[in-house]
Amino acid sequence: MTLEREVGALQARMETVEMELQGIRSDVREIRDALVTARGSWKAICLVVGLSVSLGAAVAKLLPYLLSPSP
């Protein structure tokens, strides 16, 4: 093989590696975006659960007073 052929083959392999790296880069961005979205969703779910537990506790505490006959 001549030097020019070797350089051409290496150049073609390098272009292939660069294209694969672009694909990996876009995949990593998608994974990062999914993680960021999941992190925000997780916090929202915790907020909703916390509020519902607080409301449930308040109702459970006040329910006997509301249902008891007044003297």
Side-chain angles (χ1 to χ4, degrees), residues 1-9:
M1 260 181 143
T2 64
L3 183 60
E4 290 177 6
R5 279 189 160 182
E6 287 183 31
V7 170

Side-chain angles (χ1 to χ4, degrees), residues 30-51:
E30 287 180 29
I31 292 169
R32 184 199 64 198
D33 293 343
L35 288 174
V36 167
T37 302
R39 186 179 302 145
S41 300
W42 179 79
K43 289 179 182 178
I45 289 172
C46 283
L47 178 67
V48 169
V49 168
L51 289 174

Side-chain angles (χ1 to χ4, degrees), residues 36-71:
V36 167
T37 302
R39 186 179 302 145
S41 300
W42 179 79
K43 289 179 182 178
I45 289 172
C46 283
L47 178 67
V48 169
V49 168
L51 289 174
S52 64
V53 167
S54 299
L55 181 63
V59 168
K61 184 73 172 176
L62 295 176
L63 198 60
Y65 296 113
L66 295 174
L67 294 179
S68 66
S70 40

Side-chain angles (χ1 to χ4, degrees), residues 16-30:
T16 303
V17 169
E18 287 175 351
M19 288 180 3
E20 289 178 3
L21 186 59
Q22 277 292 69
I24 291 171
R25 187 176 293 150
S26 68
D27 291 343
V28 168
R29 283 185 182 145
E30 287 180 29

